[in-house]
Each structure stands twice: as C-alpha cells, then as structure tokens.
C-alpha cells in the first residue's frame, strides 16, 4: 500500500474552513478525514458543529502525532467535539453516523481511490443516508464522476489566506465536493467544471 500513497502534504486551513462553512446543516453530520496525517483538517473541523470528528491514518507514527494534537485542542477547547483518531486502512473506513462529510486531500493512486469509492457505495446501499465527499486537489475526480452513487455539488479554486502564502506551493487550490444520490441539496453554480491535472499532480478547474 505504501507505494500507492501520495507524499505527505498539508491542507491549507483557510481553504478547509471555507469549504466546510459552505456545507449545509453540518450539525446533522459527522466529519471523517481519510488519511488524516497530523490532524490539521480535523482541528479546523472541530470549529464546526459536527456530531463526531474522526481521522483515519495508516501510519501509527503519524497517527500518534494527530492524537497529541487532538489532546491539545481538547484542553484548549473543551466545548468542541472530541477529535477521534483511528489507525488503519482508510480505503475501508466506516461511517460513524448515518450522515457523513468525508474529507480527503489527494492521498492515493487511482486504484485505491476506486476501492474507497466502492466501499462508500456499499455503505450507501446499507444504511448510510447521505454523504458529502470533499476532495482537496482532486487528482482522481473521474472516479467519483463515474460513480452512479455520487454527483457533483461544488467545484472551486480557493485562494490561500494572506498569512498562509509561502506555506504551500501555490496561491490557490482546487476543491471538488460530491454528494450522494439521491441528491439532498441543489448543486452550486460551476459544480461541473472540468478538472485538469498537471504532471506534478496539481489540479486546476476550467471555467
């Protein structure tokens, strides 16, 4: 599996925050970070009213760092939902509630993304009521686009906050969000924008 996992990279907090703020009714959903790394998206998600916040990480060493970060946030903000960290194969992640926002920074090759989508499709047929899937740097967006169980909800190029410039390779990043079918929420304008991937696996969205 290690050969199929993308190099570690961090998501920009301002971009995560913008996307999560755009989602409707987060208090009715759990948040699950697939390949959570040290837990930055989980920390941002804890600012919102999710029912549960869960990170799944393949590396025990990195998961231990995520746990340490979760402990710091719990001490500073006891009013927030507790961040939970699980060690395991993120492609077989299980939904912790019947409504879930799944989040993933480009983490796997196409084969593993296909395995992940197949797993989510099975759960959608067996009790998972509704899911959003937030894909940051959506290199393998075609796998979701080809699934009969998902449809585009939004597609945006989002800029880094001013204080984040220089902490990532670009000035803006692509994020595409799908929702499960049958659709619960109307798609946002531009949701069908084409995803273009360059030779370094960085995405752009075409108008």
């Amino acid at each position: 599996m290690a050969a199929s996992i993308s190099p570690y990279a961090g998501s920009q907090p301002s971009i995560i925050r913008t996307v999560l703020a755009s989602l409707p009714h987060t208090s009715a959903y759990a948040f699950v970070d697939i390949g959570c790394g040290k837990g930055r998206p989980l920390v941002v998600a804890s600012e919102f009213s999710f029912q549960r916040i869960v990170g799944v990480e393949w590396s025990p060493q990195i998961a231990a760092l995520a746990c340490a970060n979760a402990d710091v946030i719990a001490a500073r903000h006891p009013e927030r939902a507790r961040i939970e960290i699980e060690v395991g194969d993120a492609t077989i992640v299980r939904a912790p509630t019947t409504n879930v926002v799944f989040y993933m920074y480009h983490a796997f090759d196409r084969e593993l993304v296909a395995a992940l989508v197949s797993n989510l499709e099975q759960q959608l047929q067996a009790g998972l009521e509704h899911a959003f899937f937030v894909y940051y740097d959506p290199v393998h967006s075609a796998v979701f686009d080809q699934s009969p169980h998902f449809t585009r909800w939004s597609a945006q190029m989002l800029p880094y906050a001013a204080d984040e410039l220089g902490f990532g390779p670009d000035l803006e990043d692509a994020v595409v969000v799908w929702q499960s079918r049958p659709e619960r929420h109307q798609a946002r304008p531009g949701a069908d924008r084409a995803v273009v991937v360059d030779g370094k696996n960085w995405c752009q969205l075409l108008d």
Side-chain angles (χ1 to χ4, degrees):
M1 180 177 285
S4 300
I5 296 174
S6 302
Y8 184 89
S11 306
Q12 298 300 326
S14 62
I15 292 180
I16 305 167
R17 193 171 290 114
T18 296
V19 174
L20 296 186
S22 74
L23 297 175
H25 311 305
T26 54
S27 61
Y29 289 77
F31 178 88
V32 176
D33 186 354
I34 296 170
C36 69
K38 299 175 185 178
R40 183 183 292 173
L42 298 169
V43 172
V44 176
S46 75
E47 300 171 7
F48 295 82
S49 55
F50 289 107
Q51 293 181 357
R52 290 178 64 184
I53 300 173
V54 181
V56 183
E57 174 55 46
W58 180 74
S59 166
Q61 293 81 9
I62 296 178
L65 295 174
C67 287
N69 289 332
D71 289 343
V72 171
I73 295 302
R76 291 181 181 177
H77 302 283
E79 75 283 1
R80 297 184 184 182
R82 178 82 187 200
I83 296 171
E84 308 167 44
I85 306 296
E86 300 176 0
V87 178
D89 180 354
T91 66
I92 57 174
V93 62
R94 302 300 300 177
T97 62
T98 56
N99 296 283
V100 182
V101 174
F102 293 100
Y103 174 90
M104 184 175 74
Y105 187 95
H106 169 52
F108 314 126
D109 66 11
R110 185 184 180 93
E111 182 178 355
L112 291 186
V113 173
L116 170 63
V117 171
S118 177
N119 168 39
L120 297 180
E121 289 174 338
Q122 293 175 32
Q123 293 184 61
L124 286 166
Q125 297 177 73
L128 178 57
E129 293 179 7
H130 188 262
F132 284 107
F133 196 98
V134 179
Y135 194 172
Y136 190 130
D137 193 31
V139 172
H140 301 299
S141 59
V143 178
F144 284 92
D145 287 338
Q146 293 164 6
S147 170
H149 294 273
F150 286 94
T151 186
R152 294 270 195 107
W153 184 74
S154 70
Q156 303 176 83
M157 293 298 303
L158 294 171
Y160 293 12
D163 59 356
E164 295 171 357
L165 295 174
F167 289 93
D170 296 303
L171 301 178
E172 59 181 1
D173 286 330
V175 182
V176 178
V177 181
W178 289 261
Q179 67 172 316
S180 58
R181 289 177 169 159
E183 297 88 336
R184 183 177 290 181
H185 305 284
Q186 183 175 359
R188 304 187 78 186
D192 59 350
R193 296 170 69 184
V195 178
V196 177
V197 184
D198 68 15
K200 297 181 179 179
N201 281 339
W202 295 110
C203 294
Q204 293 286 327
L205 300 177
L206 299 182
D207 293 325

